Amino acid sequence: MLAAAVVILFVASILLGSYTVTVPDFFTIVWAHLTGGEKIPGASFIVMENKLPRAIVGLLTGLAFGLSGALFQTMLRNPLASPDVIGISHGASASAVVAIVVFGASGATVSAAALLGALAVALLIYLISRGGNLRGSRGNAAGNRLVLAGVGIAAALGAVVNFLMTRADIRTAAEALIWLNGSLNPATWERIGTLLPALCVLLPLAAGLAKPLRLLELGDDTAAGLGVRVGAVRLGLVLTAVALAAVATAAAGPVSFVAFLAGPIARRVTGKPSLPASALTGAVIVLAADYFAYNLAPLLLDGTVLPVGVVTGALGAPFLLWLLATSNRKDA
């Protein structure tokens, strides 16, 4: 069902909207682009340089964010432990903004800066949160410490970004805002060329770690008794999840709450934790939110096109409050 929803939304993003394209015209445009044939004036440019790259980037970033959030939430057994809540997406964004504003970087350099920033923040959060025992029955407490450390670091990074934005000129600040809002407007084939190879490496890594991750849910001691190298597996999970969040942020900016929402929604749909379902749910959220932001919001807001991160943020905020309220009732 989730895979079908992804396909429907992907097709709708390309064929429907403010400029509609028929199915025969779409295949004609793609075939002409691949073979160098005659192009359809206007339509070829809109499809190949706007609609199709936008849909592909939305699909890939949704998969990456959804899978990253599910890895963190399952490993730490804490529904709040997603990259955008614990500060990892903030680390990638802040590093990208520093690269843009301070060093005038662009393209692959900014993507590399985002990846390094996310890894550095993840390491810092781990070092801060390791004050107590991170194993066995105290895993939930360790997860709570990590979440609190991440929230604090995210606030500090937000202050750094705000300071840099006040010091930047208008053009540079506008480019940096792309990262801060989370938008598919700058989707290009160049960004797809960076994102797709990264996911071709990271998705198989996540699939290989899925089985030991399920064993880790039984507790570190039980997993070790079943032959799992707990330390190595946990390190691999953290690096994979951080890299997924970083490359997605590098491609589309910090699209708010996608990583946070995907895992719990997928669990509701499937009835159990599922990494593939979480990844597909992330893609559904991004594609649906972008379709609304790009095609429906202008009809409701007098032509204003919203960044996709605004829509996902509006969905995520009430969901977070609901999650906190239900957690409080369970504790009571």
Side-chain angles (χ1 to χ4, degrees), residues 67-151:
L67 184 55
S68 176
L71 287 173
F72 274 114
Q73 291 167 341
T74 305
M75 179 181 62
L76 297 174
R77 285 169 282 179
N78 189 325
L80 296 178
S82 67
D84 42 5
V85 174
I86 64 176
I88 292 172
S89 294
H90 291 80
S93 299
S95 182
V97 171
V98 169
I100 293 171
V101 174
V102 178
F103 299 102
S106 62
T109 304
V110 177
S111 300
L115 178 59
L116 293 176
L119 291 172
V121 169
L123 177 60
L124 180 59
I125 293 171
Y126 172 75
L127 292 176
I128 293 175
S129 64
R130 63 176 297 183
N133 181 15
L134 297 181
R135 300 180 58 187
S137 61
R138 298 183 65 183
N140 290 335
N144 291 334
R145 284 195 299 272
L146 189 145
V147 170
L148 292 174
V151 170

Side-chain angles (χ1 to χ4, degrees), residues 6 36 43 66 68 97 103 112 125 132 139 143 152 154 180 184 209 223 240 246 249 253 259 262 276 303 323 325:
V6 170
S68 176
V97 171
F103 299 102
I125 293 171
L180 299 178
L184 299 183
L209 293 168
T240 302
T249 303
L323 184 62

Side-chain angles (χ1 to χ4, degrees), residues 162-229:
N162 289 334
F163 171 76
L164 291 173
M165 294 294 289
T166 61
R167 306 292 294 178
D169 60 74
I170 294 177
R171 289 187 178 181
T172 305
E175 184 179 354
L177 278 174
I178 295 172
W179 298 92
L180 299 178
N181 289 327
S183 174
L184 299 183
N185 289 338
T188 61
W189 292 106
E190 180 184 0
R191 296 200 176 195
I192 295 172
T194 302
L195 181 58
L196 185 58
L199 291 186
C200 288
V201 175
L202 294 172
L203 292 180
L205 285 177
L209 293 168
K211 182 176 180 180
L213 175 61
R214 289 196 295 269
L215 296 178
L216 282 180
E217 293 184 74
L218 303 175
D220 289 359
D221 293 335
T222 302
L226 294 172
V228 176
R229 298 174 59 188

